[in-house]
Amino acid sequence: MISGSSIPYLIPPFIAFIVSLGMISYLIRGNILKVLDQPNSRSLHTRPVPRTGGLGLISGVLVSWAFLPVRPALLIWVAIVLLVTISFADDVRGLPVWPRLAMYMGLGAWFSAMTLAATHGWVVAVAATLAVTWMLNLYNFMDGSDGLAGGMTLIGFSCYGATAWVSGNEAFAIANFCIAAAAAAFLLFNFHPARIFLGDAGSIPLGFLAAALGMTGWMNGCWPLWFPVLVFSPFIVDASVTLIKRGLRGEKVWQAHREHYYQRLVRSGLGHRNTALIGYILMAASALSALWTVRQHTSVQFGMVTAWIAVYFIMMRLCDRHLRQGADGS
């Protein structure tokens, strides 16, 4: 039962959902920006689709955050606005890879220096810079199949919010629930067959938020440092292992491709819908196990993380074998 004292906490996520729903619906119906994701040899879709959904999702988040009793740090707001601006310019015009990466790393360094350097030292701040830069890029890499990135956003930030709530930090919890609510609105239009995509203006800021709020929760004592890694591990593992494999083969890791596990599953005949549903099961399992384990003894936490490493290793080996046999059979 919802008590009267809980009702104010429901307002910001509700605003996030409604604003995102209205904005995305308008962007689809009006198509005023006319920024389309054209199919090519490396994409999984076969028709032009608007890639402005991230503008609606992030708008819902920022508007709803204005109604929070305790708002996220100003530098997070500024970083999001800058990331949306840079990434939308890339969606429209196509910016060079290295200057864009340098700008992303600069924002990651700014966040890390302002939040971690004084309390945890520069070594930790440098490591955090690399983590933020990688997270915002891998979120973009994993945004290539209908419903996948939206589902990770809904599940991942819901887990952040639930864990922060249990730890007693209600304001931080609601900030995360706002992101999840906006993602829920986006998924109504993005689940297969997708009517709109996130675009870089959505995926890049969401990757930043996954890293920045994950570190914020750690600094606030809501969870240990391994927690956000396990919550978003379905994306982290797929993107990281794929990049390492391509690097070892001497391929240009910064070039677009279709070699992520989720892309290979879609192309194997599983399709967007089934790949997303399997992804949701994996995302929910990793998030729920992280939520349960975070309040257990350190030895249990170590055991859970180790178990998930083994699970991912087995899953990837089985997936590689299955896809290899399918390719040989064809």
Side-chain angles (χ1 to χ4, degrees):
M1 182 175 180
I2 299 175
S3 64
S5 60
S6 300
I7 292 178
Y9 290 114
L10 300 177
I11 294 175
F14 177 75
I15 292 173
F17 182 86
I18 293 300
V19 171
S20 295
L21 187 72
M23 283 287 294
I24 295 170
S25 178
Y26 178 71
L27 288 168
I28 293 174
R29 186 176 61 254
N31 195 22
I32 54 174
L33 297 177
K34 300 187 184 302
V35 180
L36 299 176
D37 196 316
Q38 300 290 345
N40 55 55
S41 59
R42 294 183 295 270
S43 59
L44 297 176
H45 60 288
T46 57
R47 59 182 177 81
V49 178
R51 51 178 174 180
T52 51
L55 298 178
L57 192 159
I58 299 299
S59 295
V61 172
L62 295 181
V63 170
S64 66
W65 277 3
F67 293 86
L68 292 175
V70 180
R71 301 177 182 87
L74 178 61
L75 70 90
I76 293 180
W77 290 71
V78 175
I80 292 173
V81 172
L82 291 174
L83 287 170
V84 169
T85 302
I86 296 168
S87 303
F88 186 64
D90 183 49
D91 284 332
V92 176
R93 305 287 298 181
L95 301 179
V97 173
W98 294 112
R100 181 160 39 95
L101 181 61
M103 288 186 282
Y104 293 157
M105 183 170 288
L107 286 171
W110 177 52
F111 170 81
S112 301
M114 294 295 291
T115 57
L116 288 165
T119 55
H120 294 79
W122 284 102
V123 174
V124 174
V126 171
T129 298
L130 297 176
V132 172
T133 305
W134 177 230
M135 192 67 191
L136 62 86
N137 276 285
L138 76 82
Y139 223 97
N140 186 33
F141 298 158
M142 296 298 291
D143 177 32
S145 180
D146 295 355
L148 200 65
M152 183 77 263
T153 304
L154 172 60
I155 295 170
F157 287 98
S158 292
C159 185
Y160 274 12
T163 308
W165 187 276
V166 171
S167 73
N169 194 334
E170 289 87 357
F172 183 57
I174 298 305
N176 284 282
F177 285 141
C178 287
I179 303 172
F186 170 72
L187 266 180
L188 295 177
F189 304 98
N190 183 246
F191 194 73
H192 187 72
R195 298 168 59 192
I196 195 167
F197 294 158
L198 274 176
D200 286 10
S203 60
I204 294 292
L206 288 174
F208 171 81
L209 285 169
L213 296 187
M215 292 180 189
T216 301
W218 169 58
M219 290 185 289
N220 291 342
C222 297
W223 50 65
L225 196 54
W226 59 263
F227 175 82
V229 178
L230 181 54
V231 171
F232 285 91
S233 59
F235 270 23
I236 295 172
V237 171
D238 189 333
S240 300
V241 171
T242 301
L243 180 71
I244 291 170
K245 285 183 175 181
R246 298 190 76 230
L248 292 175
R249 292 196 298 264
E251 299 175 6
K252 297 178 179 179
V253 297
W254 58 87
Q255 288 186 344
H257 58 87
R258 298 200 300 178
E259 297 179 19
H260 288 290
Y261 281 94
Y262 78 90
Q263 292 172 318
R264 294 163 64 193
L265 288 173
V266 172
R267 292 189 292 119
S268 72
L270 200 60
H272 288 269
R273 181 182 297 268
N274 291 330
T275 299
L277 293 176
I278 292 173
Y280 295 165
I281 294 173
L282 183 62
M283 294 168 192
S286 63
L288 290 173
S289 64
L291 177 58
W292 177 80
T293 307
V294 75
R295 301 185 67 81
Q296 306 303 315
H297 190 270
T298 304
S299 60
V300 178
Q301 297 178 11
F302 177 78
M304 180 63 76
V305 173
T306 303
W308 269 103
I309 292 173
V311 167
Y312 281 119
F313 178 78
I314 294 171
M315 288 179 62
M316 287 186 292
R317 288 297 298 270
L318 292 175
C319 187
D320 285 335
R321 181 180 302 176
H322 171 73
L323 292 172
R324 191 179 304 115
Q325 290 175 348
D328 294 340
S330 61

